[in-house]
Amino acid sequence: MAGLMLKLIAPSFSALRRPALRLAAAGFALILAGCAGLPPRAPEPPTLSIAASPATTLGRAAASLNNAAQDGLSSVRPLVEASFALDARFELMRRAQASLDVQTYQLGKDKTGLLLLRELRDAARRGVRVRLLLDDFYTAGMDSLLLGLAAEPNAEVRLFNPFVNARDHSATRWLEFFGDFRRLNHRMHNKLFVADGALAIAGGRNLADEYFLRSEGANFIDFELVMAGPVVPEAARIFDTYWNSDVVYPIQRIAGTSDAPEALKAGFEAATAPIHAPPPAPLSGTDLMGDAPLGAQLADVGRVKWMRADAHAAADSPHKALGALTPASESLAARFHEMTASARSDVIVISPYFIPGDEGMARIREGRARGVRISVVTNSLADSDEPLVNINYNRYRVDMLKLGVNLYEVSTEQLKRNRQFRTLLKKARGRLHAKLAIVDREWVLLGSMNLDPRSARLNTEFGVRVRSFELSQALLYAYQLDDIEGVYRVVLMPDGKNVQWIGTGDVDNEVLDSEPDSSLLTRLQLLLFSWFVPTDQL
């Protein structure tokens, strides 16, 4: 997530067509923005995670996966394919018997988001305690839906650093954003899913169509890990820290309503009906790693050998949203840089938004001086959903190449020359969204953090550090990182001052001297915008 301000200034003004209405609405919103501020929090006892128990199906499965080992290791499996990642969530929600804790930056009001909400509601009605924690940036127009879920006796919805006034419209939220910029510019970018305190999913996917290859316009290539063992209670404690934070509010405290609980439930039922939230096609066979769907694995735990690994979860403090200064050693970005700085042989970084900055360039220079091979995979300008980030990244390309960094940029046209991606993407565009680093083919760092200033300084992030040669090799295979395809390889031109792009797909002799699939006008417009948006906001 980057370019936050520019996302907010592209609202739909369809309801404000006449000049008088526009002026009245803008004036009203400006008054509201001037009065912006969070209501006081009433003291309340903390709510804590429910620990894994052999009394639940998932608790017994987790215990079997770990074979009651006391070695401190966890069991993990990669979720590379989007359809298998979505199915894994359904399986965990339907098998849960005690609790579901879900934390995300974005929950789409689309077929995927609505279906997941319905599954959470169904779980609550079975007696499962449901806690849904959302960042409030993308919830415009969703209050009734979220209140409908929260009306269930076993469900609770909370919002991180919420908007307070005129919540239903993006236009008025934009005005409030600038009226309370210092607070609202901080967002919770974490993604975490914990079922029965026994199994967890962590990675980069938000809960919307485009993160599970269900969008007809553009879809994201992403990565997650399903985990059991000691790393799960670590992640659950982090969830509790956020859930009970003073920057998190119950939805009812922020989005007041006069509707009775039964009316809210009826509205939820209609909004999440199958006509609006159709299920995905059933899975068949195995994923590209040769793994069966998670449900089949849990039904016969002994049939699939999960990877045993030393895994630990970490996150920024939720008080980062208040502008609180976190000790450098405790921030997720600092821990990431410490891990990559320890590399002995090679570092592979996969990040959709990549702005190294002066500090990052110094780290790259130091690593290259020690002989560490550094490779970076990011989005091309044409296929980035945050092109302003790409413009800022471009400023460092020549210097990185001169240091010997291997640069690759993901391109829809290149992806579709790969049979596997062509089948998955169909007519949609393909964009990178995975956030990964592989260090010395032994350590894997994954989670929600992008390598840009916004992730480091403004947003909160969640991540997992895994020591596993087996997982590293699986990811090298899944993303074809040893013989990378579906991207352009970026190299220096003979003049040493500019770059060119070399195709890596079927047409591997393609050489371009300008940004692939983008016009000169687009590049000039973005360059102009980049002068007015500070790099530390990206």
mmCIF file with all atom_site columns, all heavy atoms in Angstrom, residues 63 196 305 314 366 403 440 464:
data_model
loop_
_atom_site.group_PDB
_atom_site.id
_atom_site.type_symbol
_atom_site.label_atom_id
_atom_site.label_alt_id
_atom_site.label_comp_id
_atom_site.label_asym_id
_atom_site.label_entity_id
_atom_site.label_seq_id
_atom_site.pdbx_PDB_ins_code
_atom_site.Cartn_x
_atom_site.Cartn_y
_atom_site.Cartn_z
_atom_site.occupancy
_atom_site.B_iso_or_equiv
_atom_site.pdbx_formal_charge
_atom_site.auth_seq_id
_atom_site.auth_comp_id
_atom_site.auth_asym_id
_atom_site.auth_atom_id
_atom_site.pdbx_PDB_model_num
ATOM 1  N N   . ALA A 1 63  ? -1.657  -30.493 16.578 1.00 0.00 ? 63  ALA A N   1
ATOM 2  C CA  . ALA A 1 63  ? -0.819  -31.337 17.431 1.00 0.00 ? 63  ALA A CA  1
ATOM 3  C C   . ALA A 1 63  ? -0.226  -32.492 16.630 1.00 0.00 ? 63  ALA A C   1
ATOM 4  O O   . ALA A 1 63  ? 0.948   -32.849 16.805 1.00 0.00 ? 63  ALA A O   1
ATOM 5  C CB  . ALA A 1 63  ? -1.636  -31.869 18.604 1.00 0.00 ? 63  ALA A CB  1
ATOM 6  N N   . ASP A 1 196 ? -8.983  -21.219 15.721 1.00 0.00 ? 196 ASP A N   1
ATOM 7  C CA  . ASP A 1 196 ? -8.937  -22.048 16.931 1.00 0.00 ? 196 ASP A CA  1
ATOM 8  C C   . ASP A 1 196 ? -7.588  -21.980 17.654 1.00 0.00 ? 196 ASP A C   1
ATOM 9  O O   . ASP A 1 196 ? -7.219  -22.911 18.377 1.00 0.00 ? 196 ASP A O   1
ATOM 10 C CB  . ASP A 1 196 ? -9.270  -23.511 16.599 1.00 0.00 ? 196 ASP A CB  1
ATOM 11 C CG  . ASP A 1 196 ? -10.776 -23.729 16.421 1.00 0.00 ? 196 ASP A CG  1
ATOM 12 O OD1 . ASP A 1 196 ? -11.538 -22.786 16.675 1.00 0.00 ? 196 ASP A OD1 1
ATOM 13 O OD2 . ASP A 1 196 ? -11.174 -24.839 16.028 1.00 0.00 ? 196 ASP A OD2 1
ATOM 14 N N   . LYS A 1 305 ? 3.472   -34.457 4.322  1.00 0.00 ? 305 LYS A N   1
ATOM 15 C CA  . LYS A 1 305 ? 4.535   -34.045 5.246  1.00 0.00 ? 305 LYS A CA  1
ATOM 16 C C   . LYS A 1 305 ? 4.724   -32.531 5.145  1.00 0.00 ? 305 LYS A C   1
ATOM 17 O O   . LYS A 1 305 ? 5.151   -32.016 4.124  1.00 0.00 ? 305 LYS A O   1
ATOM 18 C CB  . LYS A 1 305 ? 5.840   -34.771 4.895  1.00 0.00 ? 305 LYS A CB  1
ATOM 19 C CG  . LYS A 1 305 ? 7.001   -34.432 5.835  1.00 0.00 ? 305 LYS A CG  1
ATOM 20 C CD  . LYS A 1 305 ? 8.255   -35.189 5.425  1.00 0.00 ? 305 LYS A CD  1
ATOM 21 C CE  . LYS A 1 305 ? 9.427   -34.827 6.330  1.00 0.00 ? 305 LYS A CE  1
ATOM 22 N NZ  . LYS A 1 305 ? 9.798   -33.398 6.190  1.00 0.00 ? 305 LYS A NZ  1
ATOM 23 N N   . ALA A 1 314 ? 6.418   -11.363 14.051 1.00 0.00 ? 314 ALA A N   1
ATOM 24 C CA  . ALA A 1 314 ? 6.743   -10.052 14.615 1.00 0.00 ? 314 ALA A CA  1
ATOM 25 C C   . ALA A 1 314 ? 5.879   -8.998  13.933 1.00 0.00 ? 314 ALA A C   1
ATOM 26 O O   . ALA A 1 314 ? 5.360   -9.213  12.831 1.00 0.00 ? 314 ALA A O   1
ATOM 27 C CB  . ALA A 1 314 ? 8.222   -9.732  14.433 1.00 0.00 ? 314 ALA A CB  1
ATOM 28 N N   . GLU A 1 366 ? 27.083  -1.953  0.762  1.00 0.00 ? 366 GLU A N   1
ATOM 29 C CA  . GLU A 1 366 ? 27.840  -2.730  1.735  1.00 0.00 ? 366 GLU A CA  1
ATOM 30 C C   . GLU A 1 366 ? 27.746  -4.230  1.433  1.00 0.00 ? 366 GLU A C   1
ATOM 31 O O   . GLU A 1 366 ? 28.742  -4.962  1.510  1.00 0.00 ? 366 GLU A O   1
ATOM 32 C CB  . GLU A 1 366 ? 27.309  -2.437  3.150  1.00 0.00 ? 366 GLU A CB  1
ATOM 33 C CG  . GLU A 1 366 ? 28.184  -2.949  4.273  1.00 0.00 ? 366 GLU A CG  1
ATOM 34 C CD  . GLU A 1 366 ? 27.900  -4.395  4.635  1.00 0.00 ? 366 GLU A CD  1
ATOM 35 O OE1 . GLU A 1 366 ? 26.762  -4.870  4.360  1.00 0.00 ? 366 GLU A OE1 1
ATOM 36 O OE2 . GLU A 1 366 ? 28.787  -5.075  5.171  1.00 0.00 ? 366 GLU A OE2 1
ATOM 37 N N   . LEU A 1 403 ? 26.112  -1.208  -9.321 1.00 0.00 ? 403 LEU A N   1
ATOM 38 C CA  . LEU A 1 403 ? 26.625  -1.984  -8.200 1.00 0.00 ? 403 LEU A CA  1
ATOM 39 C C   . LEU A 1 403 ? 26.537  -3.492  -8.446 1.00 0.00 ? 403 LEU A C   1
ATOM 40 O O   . LEU A 1 403 ? 27.020  -4.277  -7.626 1.00 0.00 ? 403 LEU A O   1
ATOM 41 C CB  . LEU A 1 403 ? 25.857  -1.631  -6.917 1.00 0.00 ? 403 LEU A CB  1
ATOM 42 C CG  . LEU A 1 403 ? 26.128  -0.251  -6.325 1.00 0.00 ? 403 LEU A CG  1
ATOM 43 C CD1 . LEU A 1 403 ? 25.135  0.054   -5.209 1.00 0.00 ? 403 LEU A CD1 1
ATOM 44 C CD2 . LEU A 1 403 ? 27.562  -0.171  -5.795 1.00 0.00 ? 403 LEU A CD2 1
ATOM 45 N N   . ASP A 1 440 ? 20.346  -16.292 1.612  1.00 0.00 ? 440 ASP A N   1
ATOM 46 C CA  . ASP A 1 440 ? 21.270  -17.428 1.623  1.00 0.00 ? 440 ASP A CA  1
ATOM 47 C C   . ASP A 1 440 ? 20.563  -18.758 1.389  1.00 0.00 ? 440 ASP A C   1
ATOM 48 O O   . ASP A 1 440 ? 21.051  -19.816 1.810  1.00 0.00 ? 440 ASP A O   1
ATOM 49 C CB  . ASP A 1 440 ? 22.044  -17.486 2.952  1.00 0.00 ? 440 ASP A CB  1
ATOM 50 C CG  . ASP A 1 440 ? 22.990  -16.311 3.129  1.00 0.00 ? 440 ASP A CG  1
ATOM 51 O OD1 . ASP A 1 440 ? 23.351  -15.689 2.120  1.00 0.00 ? 440 ASP A OD1 1
ATOM 52 O OD2 . ASP A 1 440 ? 23.348  -16.013 4.283  1.00 0.00 ? 440 ASP A OD2 1
ATOM 53 N N   . VAL A 1 464 ? 6.695   -12.713 9.218  1.00 0.00 ? 464 VAL A N   1
ATOM 54 C CA  . VAL A 1 464 ? 7.150   -13.992 9.765  1.00 0.00 ? 464 VAL A CA  1
ATOM 55 C C   . VAL A 1 464 ? 8.537   -14.279 9.211  1.00 0.00 ? 464 VAL A C   1
ATOM 56 O O   . VAL A 1 464 ? 8.781   -14.111 8.005  1.00 0.00 ? 464 VAL A O   1
ATOM 57 C CB  . VAL A 1 464 ? 6.192   -15.144 9.400  1.00 0.00 ? 464 VAL A CB  1
ATOM 58 C CG1 . VAL A 1 464 ? 6.701   -16.469 9.971  1.00 0.00 ? 464 VAL A CG1 1
ATOM 59 C CG2 . VAL A 1 464 ? 4.781   -14.861 9.896  1.00 0.00 ? 464 VAL A CG2 1
#
